[in-house]
Amino acid sequence: MWKLKSTRIVKHYLSTNFLVLKMAKSSFEYVKKFEHDDSLLPNTWIVIRLDGKCFHKFADDHNFTKPNDLRALKLMNYAAYTVLKEYSDILLSFGQSDEYSFVLRKDSCLYKRRSAKLLTTINSKFSSSYVFYWNKFFEHLPLKYPPCFDGRIVLYPCDENLIDYMKWRQADVHINNLYNTTFWTLILKGQLTPVQAEKRLSGTVSADKNEILFQEFNMNYNNEPEIFKRGTILLRKSILHNKVNKSIIVDVHDDMLKDKFWKENIYILSVKKSKQNLMYIGPTTEIIEDQLSKYESHLEA
């Protein structure tokens, strides 16, 4: 008798509370009306660009090598690589200094093309990866505090707009790197103060800076590493590994300012999702080695 009565009490309690919760849920749901629809325009290229915030201070606080710290650039590339691994809708990305751009498919429906969702997710994945893999590249230099990256989304309606955007970002690399290389060479090797170096370079053009490097410091700017002069492109290609075509993400430093790059990688702009990427012919970088080693481990398991 007591058992039967207890069962009835429990059922009554559960049904009553369920009804109260259901009513509460219904009465509170009106707040969702304050959310706005931020779906991005369809059939447009989505470009997400992340930029380091106060990165000059961050670089100084962590003793980055001037004018370029290869470890820092490789860390940026690796963080971007983790983003591409996570999201197959990203066809191409480009990075330089403290910024990275990610290009999503024109017909991408990732997160229903919701702007806030795309920006925050890509940014958080990149930022957390930067912190998580810090010791991989700065083995003996502790991270004093986490960096911060802001971000924006820009839509480009046609292929020409997208190509011009990528060319613009790479042209920016050359302009900034030539200036920074000359500026820091004048300071580190020419014993000038930052103010004196800035004054020396005021009003100079590219030819003048090349002349300063060559005549005064016997430096040929053309011999500088491509990663410094052109930045890094991440894209998907195929590689022949153990007689098997393996789809991988490659990091290259090709010249996007020339039409040759876009003709060779025309599949990037294809509306239809390509099942076969262009074969990769080039050196085995750390990022490529990382993928091949994981592939081998998977086969052994």
Side-chain angles (χ1 to χ4, degrees):
M1 183 70 180
W2 169 247
K3 188 174 182 181
L4 180 61
K5 188 175 182 180
S6 298
T7 303
R8 287 175 179 173
I9 292 173
V10 170
K11 285 183 177 181
H12 176 72
Y13 175 81
L14 290 175
S15 61
T16 303
N17 278 275
F18 176 76
L19 180 61
V20 171
L21 288 172
K22 187 176 181 181
M23 291 174 62
K25 184 173 182 290
S26 301
S27 63
F28 296 147
E29 273 189 329
Y30 79 94
V31 298
K32 292 178 67 177
K33 296 178 182 178
F34 290 95
E35 299 178 13
H36 72 282
D37 181 14
D38 64 346
S39 299
L40 297 171
L41 194 68
N43 198 36
T44 53
W45 292 106
I46 301 174
V47 176
I48 300 174
R49 185 166 85 244
L50 308 180
D51 286 284
K53 190 176 184 299
C54 300
F55 233 71
H56 285 294
K57 182 179 184 303
F58 181 84
D60 289 340
D61 290 345
H62 291 87
N63 299 314
F64 281 12
T65 304
K66 301 295 193 313
N68 294 292
D69 194 309
L70 188 57
R71 300 167 301 174
L73 294 175
K74 286 184 175 181
L75 175 55
M76 288 285 292
N77 293 339
Y78 202 84
Y81 156 64
T82 62
V83 175
L84 263 73
K85 282 199 305 179
E86 186 81 15
Y87 301 102
S88 61
D89 272 25
I90 300 177
L91 297 177
L92 172 74
S93 66
F94 175 72
Q96 55 130 335
S97 185
D98 64 340
E99 77 166 55
Y100 239 100
S101 295
F102 300 90
V103 180
L104 276 74
R105 296 174 51 78
K106 202 172 186 179
D107 61 349
S108 173
C109 291
L110 183 63
Y111 298 129
K112 298 181 180 179
R113 295 179 76 92
R114 286 178 291 167
S115 176
K117 188 84 169 182
L118 287 168
L119 183 57
T120 54
T121 305
I122 299 299
N123 194 344
S124 62
K125 179 67 176 179
F126 181 89
S127 302
S128 59
S129 296
Y130 189 98
V131 173
F132 188 80
Y133 292 108
W134 173 269
N135 289 336
K136 181 178 177 68
F137 299 94
F138 292 91
E139 187 177 355
H140 302 295
L141 183 64
L143 182 64
K144 296 181 179 180
Y145 55 87
C148 179
F149 294 89
D150 61 40
R152 71 198 72 183
I153 291 182
V154 185
L155 302 180
Y156 294 103
C158 66
D159 296 354
E160 182 183 3
N161 297 149
L162 176 65
I163 292 173
D164 284 346
Y165 169 82
M166 302 304 289
K167 288 182 176 181
W168 169 52
R169 298 322 302 143
Q170 191 168 61
D172 191 62
V173 182
H174 168 69
I175 295 170
N176 290 338
N177 189 65
L178 178 57
Y179 180 91
N180 290 334
T181 299
T182 312
F183 177 81
W184 284 105
T185 301
L186 286 170
I187 294 173
L188 299 174
K189 295 184 179 180
Q191 305 302 312
L192 297 186
T193 66
V195 174
Q196 290 172 331
E198 186 176 358
K199 186 176 180 179
R200 174 76 188 280
L201 294 177
S202 179
T204 59
V205 296
S206 295
D208 300 326
K209 297 179 183 69
N210 274 294
E211 190 71 11
I212 290 173
L213 290 173
F214 188 74
Q215 293 294 336
E216 298 183 26
F217 303 100
N218 196 30
M219 284 180 59
N220 186 340
Y221 181 75
N222 292 328
N223 294 334
E224 288 292 290
E226 299 297 328
I227 189 174
F228 296 163
K229 296 185 298 180
R230 293 180 178 171
T232 301
I233 306 164
L234 296 179
L235 66 166
R236 303 176 194 279
K237 291 197 174 185
S238 295
I239 190 171
L240 189 62
H241 181 66
N242 291 339
K243 299 181 180 180
V244 177
N245 279 343
K246 175 71 176 171
S247 179
I248 61 169
I249 297 166
V250 302
D251 51 319
V252 297
H253 314 291
D254 294 344
D255 191 350
M256 292 191 294
L257 296 172
K258 295 180 179 178
D259 292 336
K260 179 184 177 183
F261 172 84
W262 298 102
K263 289 178 180 177
E264 289 180 349
N265 298 282
I266 190 66
Y267 70 92
I268 294 174
L269 304 175
S270 175
V271 176
K272 294 183 179 180
K273 199 167 185 178
S274 176
K275 294 182 179 180
Q276 186 66 36
N277 295 324
L278 191 70
M279 290 298 294
Y280 172 72
I281 302 175
T284 302
T285 64
E286 292 179 27
I287 286 178
I288 295 176
E289 182 61 39
D290 179 78
Q291 295 169 86
L292 295 181
S293 61
K294 288 178 180 177
Y295 177 64
E296 289 291 342
S297 300
H298 178 71
L299 290 178
E300 291 175 2

